Structure formats: C-alpha cells, structure tokens
Amino acid sequence: ILLFDADATAPERHAVRQSQGRALLFFTLSPITLFSISLLGGAFSLLLPRAGSQAGEHRARLLFGASSILFASLTATKLSHAAQQYRAHCVKAILTAIGCLATLAPILFLDLDDNSISGLIPVVWTTLVCFFVSFSQLAVNAAFFVDPATCM
C-alpha cells in the first residue's frame, strides 16, 4: 500500500537518467526497500499470533525498525527521481519522511522492555501510519494531478 506513491515515471525523469550518483543511490535503495518489506512480513507474522498477549521487545522493535527503514528508503528513492510537479514531489517526500519518524518514535520514546505492550499495538500503530501516508499521498495526487474538469 505504501507504493501508491509510485506513478508512471517518464524515462527522462527516472533516477538512473539524472546522474551517476542518483542511479547508484536508486540501485542501492532497491534491495534495502525489498529487505525492509521482508522484515515487515516477518515482524507481522511474529506479532499477530501474540495479539492478546505481550509483544516482546524484539518483535516490536523489529516491526517499528522495518517500517522506519522502508519509509526512509521510499523517501530517498522519491527524492532521487526528477519531479514532474515540484510541490507535489516535495509534499510526498515529506509525507514518507513523517512516516519514517512516526514509526521510529516508538523505538526512541516508548519503553518496549516493560512487557506491558500488547502484540496488537505495534501492528495497529504501523498500519495506521501506513494508511495515513498512503491516503495523504493519494490526496496529493488528486490535488495536483487530477483535472477537475474531467471529473464528474
């Protein structure tokens, strides 16, 4: 769902055509993005069976960390491409950066060691952040790229 930000990129705006540095960044970020998606799947599968009980510090940290890495890599990938519409491009990058910070905040500010956190709380928080970022980006797409004259 986070990849709703992706749109058809014209070849001249793609990261590999911008510069060697951007191309290298793009190719470096691709496996990091895929790895973080795999970590998310693993963390969800560890946390969901424990939804009614204690989450366990390492499971919650894994989910929040994987989410943060995914948002960070999506932000950097977004910024490596040339903008079709500069303001929309910046707003979408800011939204994914907010997602990164929102999923990193529990690691930094919550006491995940106290075993009072249910296994469902990290799953719900991560899901809510993903929905917020995804639907906010869809709203940006609607505001910047949809021609109101063609809508009914």
Side-chain angles (χ1 to χ4, degrees), residues 15-49:
V16 296
R17 300 249 176 124
Q18 300 308 305
S19 69
Q20 284 183 328
R22 285 187 181 194
L24 180 62
L25 178 66
F26 177 79
F27 287 121
T28 302
L29 289 171
S30 294
I32 292 171
T33 302
L34 294 175
F35 178 68
S36 64
I37 291 170
S38 299
L39 281 178
L40 271 173
F44 271 111
S45 68
L46 289 171
L47 281 168
L48 286 177

Short mmCIF file of all heavy atoms in Angstrom, two decimals, residues 15-49:
data_model
loop_
_atom_site.label_atom_id
_atom_site.label_comp_id
_atom_site.label_asym_id
_atom_site.label_seq_id
_atom_site.Cartn_x
_atom_site.Cartn_y
_atom_site.Cartn_z
N ALA A 15 15.43 8.10 -11.95
CA ALA A 15 16.67 8.34 -11.20
C ALA A 15 17.91 7.92 -11.98
O ALA A 15 18.95 8.59 -11.91
CB ALA A 15 16.63 7.61 -9.86
N VAL A 16 17.82 6.83 -12.74
CA VAL A 16 19.01 6.34 -13.44
C VAL A 16 19.43 7.28 -14.57
O VAL A 16 20.55 7.19 -15.06
CB VAL A 16 18.82 4.91 -13.98
CG1 VAL A 16 18.63 3.92 -12.85
CG2 VAL A 16 17.67 4.81 -14.96
N ARG A 17 18.53 8.17 -14.96
CA ARG A 17 18.87 9.12 -16.03
C ARG A 17 19.28 10.49 -15.50
O ARG A 17 19.61 11.37 -16.28
CB ARG A 17 17.67 9.28 -16.97
CG ARG A 17 17.24 8.00 -17.64
CD ARG A 17 17.55 8.03 -19.09
NE ARG A 17 17.23 6.77 -19.72
CZ ARG A 17 16.43 6.63 -20.74
NH1 ARG A 17 15.85 7.68 -21.26
NH2 ARG A 17 16.23 5.46 -21.26
N GLN A 18 19.21 10.70 -14.19
CA GLN A 18 19.51 12.01 -13.63
C GLN A 18 21.01 12.24 -13.50
O GLN A 18 21.53 13.27 -13.89
CB GLN A 18 18.82 12.19 -12.27
CG GLN A 18 17.31 12.08 -12.34
CD GLN A 18 16.72 13.00 -13.39
OE1 GLN A 18 16.96 14.21 -13.38
NE2 GLN A 18 15.95 12.43 -14.31
N SER A 19 21.69 11.31 -12.89
CA SER A 19 23.15 11.39 -12.71
C SER A 19 23.64 10.03 -12.26
O SER A 19 22.85 9.17 -11.88
CB SER A 19 23.52 12.46 -11.68
OG SER A 19 23.10 12.05 -10.38
N GLN A 20 24.96 9.85 -12.30
CA GLN A 20 25.52 8.58 -11.83
C GLN A 20 25.27 8.38 -10.34
O GLN A 20 24.99 7.28 -9.89
CB GLN A 20 27.02 8.52 -12.11
CG GLN A 20 27.35 8.26 -13.56
CD GLN A 20 28.85 8.13 -13.76
OE1 GLN A 20 29.64 8.75 -13.08
NE2 GLN A 20 29.22 7.30 -14.73
N GLY A 21 25.36 9.45 -9.57
CA GLY A 21 25.11 9.36 -8.14
C GLY A 21 23.68 8.95 -7.82
O GLY A 21 23.44 8.09 -6.96
N ARG A 22 22.73 9.54 -8.52
CA ARG A 22 21.32 9.18 -8.31
C ARG A 22 21.04 7.76 -8.77
O ARG A 22 20.27 7.04 -8.13
CB ARG A 22 20.40 10.16 -9.03
CG ARG A 22 20.29 11.49 -8.33
CD ARG A 22 19.24 12.34 -9.01
NE ARG A 22 19.11 13.64 -8.39
CZ ARG A 22 18.11 14.46 -8.61
NH1 ARG A 22 17.16 14.13 -9.46
NH2 ARG A 22 18.05 15.62 -8.01
N ALA A 23 21.67 7.37 -9.86
CA ALA A 23 21.49 5.99 -10.33
C ALA A 23 22.05 5.00 -9.30
O ALA A 23 21.41 3.99 -9.00
CB ALA A 23 22.17 5.80 -11.68
N LEU A 24 23.22 5.29 -8.77
CA LEU A 24 23.82 4.43 -7.76
C LEU A 24 22.93 4.38 -6.52
O LEU A 24 22.70 3.30 -5.94
CB LEU A 24 25.22 4.93 -7.39
CG LEU A 24 25.97 4.12 -6.34
CD1 LEU A 24 26.20 2.71 -6.82
CD2 LEU A 24 27.28 4.80 -6.02
N LEU A 25 22.40 5.53 -6.10
CA LEU A 25 21.50 5.57 -4.96
C LEU A 25 20.26 4.73 -5.22
O LEU A 25 19.84 3.94 -4.37
CB LEU A 25 21.10 7.02 -4.65
CG LEU A 25 20.11 7.22 -3.51
CD1 LEU A 25 20.74 6.82 -2.18
CD2 LEU A 25 19.66 8.67 -3.46
N PHE A 26 19.68 4.86 -6.40
CA PHE A 26 18.48 4.10 -6.75
C PHE A 26 18.75 2.59 -6.68
O PHE A 26 17.98 1.84 -6.09
CB PHE A 26 17.99 4.49 -8.15
CG PHE A 26 16.81 3.70 -8.61
CD1 PHE A 26 15.54 4.01 -8.15
CD2 PHE A 26 16.97 2.67 -9.51
CE1 PHE A 26 14.44 3.28 -8.58
CE2 PHE A 26 15.87 1.94 -9.94
CZ PHE A 26 14.61 2.24 -9.48
N PHE A 27 19.85 2.16 -7.28
CA PHE A 27 20.16 0.72 -7.29
C PHE A 27 20.57 0.22 -5.91
O PHE A 27 20.41 -0.96 -5.61
CB PHE A 27 21.22 0.40 -8.33
CG PHE A 27 20.71 0.48 -9.73
CD1 PHE A 27 21.27 1.34 -10.65
CD2 PHE A 27 19.62 -0.29 -10.14
CE1 PHE A 27 20.80 1.42 -11.96
CE2 PHE A 27 19.13 -0.21 -11.43
CZ PHE A 27 19.72 0.65 -12.34
N THR A 28 21.08 1.07 -5.07
CA THR A 28 21.41 0.69 -3.70
C THR A 28 20.14 0.59 -2.85
O THR A 28 20.02 -0.30 -2.00
CB THR A 28 22.38 1.71 -3.06
OG1 THR A 28 23.56 1.78 -3.87
CG2 THR A 28 22.75 1.33 -1.65
N LEU A 29 19.20 1.49 -3.08
CA LEU A 29 17.98 1.51 -2.29
C LEU A 29 17.00 0.40 -2.64
O LEU A 29 16.21 -0.01 -1.79
CB LEU A 29 17.28 2.86 -2.43
CG LEU A 29 17.98 4.03 -1.76
CD1 LEU A 29 17.33 5.34 -2.17
CD2 LEU A 29 17.96 3.88 -0.26
N SER A 30 17.04 -0.10 -3.85
CA SER A 30 16.10 -1.14 -4.25
C SER A 30 16.18 -2.38 -3.36
O SER A 30 15.15 -2.84 -2.84
CB SER A 30 16.29 -1.51 -5.72
OG SER A 30 15.94 -0.42 -6.53
N PRO A 31 17.37 -2.96 -3.13
CA PRO A 31 17.41 -4.13 -2.23
C PRO A 31 17.09 -3.77 -0.78
O PRO A 31 16.53 -4.59 -0.06
CB PRO A 31 18.83 -4.66 -2.36
CG PRO A 31 19.59 -3.69 -3.16
CD PRO A 31 18.65 -2.74 -3.78
N ILE A 32 17.40 -2.55 -0.36
CA ILE A 32 17.07 -2.14 1.00
C ILE A 32 15.55 -2.07 1.16
O ILE A 32 14.99 -2.51 2.18
CB ILE A 32 17.73 -0.78 1.34
CG1 ILE A 32 19.24 -0.95 1.41
CG2 ILE A 32 17.18 -0.20 2.64
CD1 ILE A 32 20.02 0.34 1.52
N THR A 33 14.88 -1.54 0.16
CA THR A 33 13.42 -1.49 0.19
C THR A 33 12.83 -2.89 0.25
O THR A 33 11.95 -3.18 1.07
CB THR A 33 12.88 -0.73 -1.04
OG1 THR A 33 13.43 0.58 -1.06
CG2 THR A 33 11.37 -0.65 -1.04
N LEU A 34 13.32 -3.78 -0.59
CA LEU A 34 12.82 -5.16 -0.60
C LEU A 34 13.12 -5.87 0.71
O LEU A 34 12.29 -6.62 1.24
CB LEU A 34 13.41 -5.92 -1.78
CG LEU A 34 12.97 -5.42 -3.16
CD1 LEU A 34 13.72 -6.16 -4.26
CD2 LEU A 34 11.48 -5.55 -3.33
N PHE A 35 14.31 -5.63 1.28
CA PHE A 35 14.67 -6.23 2.56
C PHE A 35 13.75 -5.75 3.67
O PHE A 35 13.28 -6.53 4.50
CB PHE A 35 16.14 -5.91 2.89
CG PHE A 35 16.59 -6.44 4.21
CD1 PHE A 35 16.72 -7.80 4.42
CD2 PHE A 35 16.88 -5.57 5.25
CE1 PHE A 35 17.14 -8.30 5.64
CE2 PHE A 35 17.31 -6.05 6.47
CZ PHE A 35 17.44 -7.42 6.67
N SER A 36 13.44 -4.45 3.68
CA SER A 36 12.56 -3.92 4.73
C SER A 36 11.14 -4.47 4.59
O SER A 36 10.47 -4.72 5.58
CB SER A 36 12.57 -2.40 4.74
OG SER A 36 12.05 -1.88 3.54
N ILE A 37 10.69 -4.69 3.37
CA ILE A 37 9.37 -5.30 3.16
C ILE A 37 9.38 -6.73 3.69
O ILE A 37 8.41 -7.18 4.34
CB ILE A 37 8.97 -5.25 1.67
CG1 ILE A 37 8.69 -3.82 1.25
CG2 ILE A 37 7.76 -6.13 1.39
CD1 ILE A 37 8.51 -3.62 -0.25
N SER A 38 10.46 -7.46 3.47
CA SER A 38 10.58 -8.81 4.02
C SER A 38 10.59 -8.79 5.55
O SER A 38 9.95 -9.63 6.19
CB SER A 38 11.86 -9.48 3.51
OG SER A 38 11.85 -9.60 2.13
N LEU A 39 11.32 -7.84 6.12
CA LEU A 39 11.34 -7.70 7.59
C LEU A 39 9.95 -7.38 8.13
O LEU A 39 9.55 -7.90 9.18
CB LEU A 39 12.30 -6.60 8.01
CG LEU A 39 13.78 -6.91 8.04
CD1 LEU A 39 14.57 -5.67 8.44
CD2 LEU A 39 14.08 -8.05 8.98
N LEU A 40 9.21 -6.54 7.42
CA LEU A 40 7.85 -6.23 7.85
C LEU A 40 6.99 -7.49 7.88
O LEU A 40 6.25 -7.71 8.84
CB LEU A 40 7.22 -5.22 6.89
CG LEU A 40 7.40 -3.76 7.19
CD1 LEU A 40 6.87 -2.91 6.05
CD2 LEU A 40 6.76 -3.38 8.48
N GLY A 41 7.08 -8.29 6.85
CA GLY A 41 6.32 -9.53 6.81
C GLY A 41 6.69 -10.46 7.95
O GLY A 41 5.82 -11.06 8.60
N GLY A 42 7.98 -10.57 8.22
CA GLY A 42 8.43 -11.41 9.33
C GLY A 42 7.96 -10.89 10.67
O GLY A 42 7.51 -11.64 11.53
N ALA A 43 8.03 -9.58 10.86
CA ALA A 43 7.61 -8.98 12.13
C ALA A 43 6.10 -9.15 12.33
O ALA A 43 5.65 -9.46 13.44
CB ALA A 43 8.00 -7.51 12.17
N PHE A 44 5.33 -8.94 11.27
CA PHE A 44 3.88 -9.14 11.39
C PHE A 44 3.57 -10.58 11.76
O PHE A 44 2.73 -10.85 12.61
CB PHE A 44 3.16 -8.76 10.09
CG PHE A 44 2.77 -7.32 10.01
CD1 PHE A 44 3.40 -6.48 9.11
CD2 PHE A 44 1.77 -6.79 10.81
CE1 PHE A 44 3.04 -5.14 9.02
CE2 PHE A 44 1.41 -5.46 10.73
CZ PHE A 44 2.04 -4.63 9.83
N SER A 45 4.25 -11.53 11.13
CA SER A 45 3.97 -12.94 11.42
C SER A 45 4.40 -13.31 12.84
O SER A 45 3.85 -14.24 13.43
CB SER A 45 4.66 -13.85 10.40
OG SER A 45 6.06 -13.81 10.54
N LEU A 46 5.36 -12.60 13.41
CA LEU A 46 5.75 -12.84 14.80
C LEU A 46 4.79 -12.19 15.78
O LEU A 46 4.56 -12.71 16.88
CB LEU A 46 7.16 -12.30 15.06
CG LEU A 46 8.31 -13.07 14.42
CD1 LEU A 46 9.61 -12.30 14.58
CD2 LEU A 46 8.44 -14.45 15.04
N LEU A 47 4.24 -11.03 15.43
CA LEU A 47 3.38 -10.28 16.35
C LEU A 47 1.92 -10.71 16.33
O LEU A 47 1.26 -10.71 17.37
CB LEU A 47 3.48 -8.79 16.06
CG LEU A 47 4.71 -8.10 16.61
CD1 LEU A 47 4.86 -6.72 16.02
CD2 LEU A 47 4.67 -8.03 18.13
N LEU A 48 1.38 -11.06 15.18
CA LEU A 48 -0.04 -11.36 15.10
C LEU A 48 -0.48 -12.53 15.97
O LEU A 48 -1.52 -12.45 16.62
CB LEU A 48 -0.47 -11.57 13.65
CG LEU A 48 -0.54 -10.28 12.83
CD1 LEU A 48 -0.89 -10.57 11.38
CD2 LEU A 48 -1.52 -9.29 13.43
N PRO A 49 0.29 -13.62 16.06
CA PRO A 49 -0.14 -14.69 16.97
C PRO A 49 -0.14 -14.27 18.44
O PRO A 49 -0.78 -14.89 19.27
CB PRO A 49 0.89 -15.80 16.74
CG PRO A 49 1.48 -15.53 15.41
CD PRO A 49 1.42 -14.03 15.26
#
